[in-house]
Amino acid sequence: MDYATAIEDIKAIIFTADIAEATQRVVDYLYDHVDKYNWVGIYIVEGTNLVLGPWRGKQATEHMKIPMGRGICGSAAQTGKTEIVSDVSNDERYLACFISTRSEIVVPIKKTGQVIGEIDIDSDIPNAFDQNDTDFLETIAELLSSYMS
Ligand code: SME
């Protein structure tokens, strides 16, 4: 998948849908267009927790609510920095969801410097994520942020 084209498609999705629908459609787009993205979800900050919003994948996760600071998701929310875990079996913060997951990326969605949510993607491929994914997903996080309160 060409990420530059994907950004244009995602802009069109965000600008034509209301935000509840837009977040689900962005999740669907990422899941459907990038083979190595095997589970895609958006968590929303609610108080001191991250609460799962729209998601796509073969299975639901048991981690519907993650306290700030727990797991890869909670770490990224606390620091406000993108986390790439190239081998989830080697990271003691990792909260397991799916037996097939090998690597993970979590990208905070920020508004005026505050983390309001995040994009969480699992891959069944080891070391699936690099700087291209970071740049791509941080751009999407920024686009989503301007439509989220
Ligand atoms: N693995 C995440 C939990 C969420 S699932 O990947 C859907 C973590 O360690 O925070």
Side-chain angles (χ1 to χ4, degrees):
M1 181 67 203
D2 165 14
Y3 285 166
T5 307
I7 292 291
E8 293 313 309
D9 289 347
I10 286 168
K11 275 186 190 163
I13 290 171
I14 292 173
F15 297 150
T16 55
D18 68 63
I19 190 61
E21 193 198 7
T23 47
Q24 180 69 61
R25 286 183 61 195
V26 169
V27 164
D28 290 343
Y29 184 95
L30 292 172
Y31 182 79
D32 290 335
H33 288 81
V34 188
D35 285 350
K36 66 183 180 180
Y37 293 180
N38 297 118
W39 189 92
V40 180
I42 293 182
Y43 283 91
I44 305 294
V45 174
E46 283 184 19
T48 56
N49 290 301
L50 292 156
V51 176
L52 185 61
W55 66 274
R56 272 288 295 285
K58 286 200 198 82
Q59 277 173 271
T61 173
E62 68 186 81
H63 298 294
M64 302 287 289
K65 199 190 243 190
I66 301 174
M68 243 5 138
R70 284 211 59 213
I72 315 298
C73 287
S75 297
Q78 217 162 41
T79 63
K81 293 207 168 69
T82 294
E83 288 271 359
I84 289 181
V85 177
S86 53
D87 175 0
V88 293
S89 70
N90 253 336
D91 194 315
E92 58 191 23
R93 299 169 303 169
Y94 177 65
L95 298 172
C97 291
F98 318 110
I99 192 85
S100 57
T101 299
R102 292 289 170 270
S103 56
E104 178 165 7
I105 186 168
V106 182
V107 178
I109 301 170
K110 291 189 247 183
K111 205 170 184 81
T112 54
Q114 292 284 106
V115 177
I116 57 167
E118 58 191 26
I119 303 168
D120 176 24
I121 301 182
D122 286 16
S123 182
D124 296 347
I125 300 169
N127 199 14
F129 305 105
D130 62 18
Q131 190 61 41
N132 290 323
D133 298 282
T134 302
D135 294 346
F136 175 55
L137 295 167
E138 286 182 354
T139 303
I140 295 169
E142 232 172 274
L143 288 168
L144 284 173
S145 148
S146 49
Y147 281 80
M148 290 164 72
S149 50

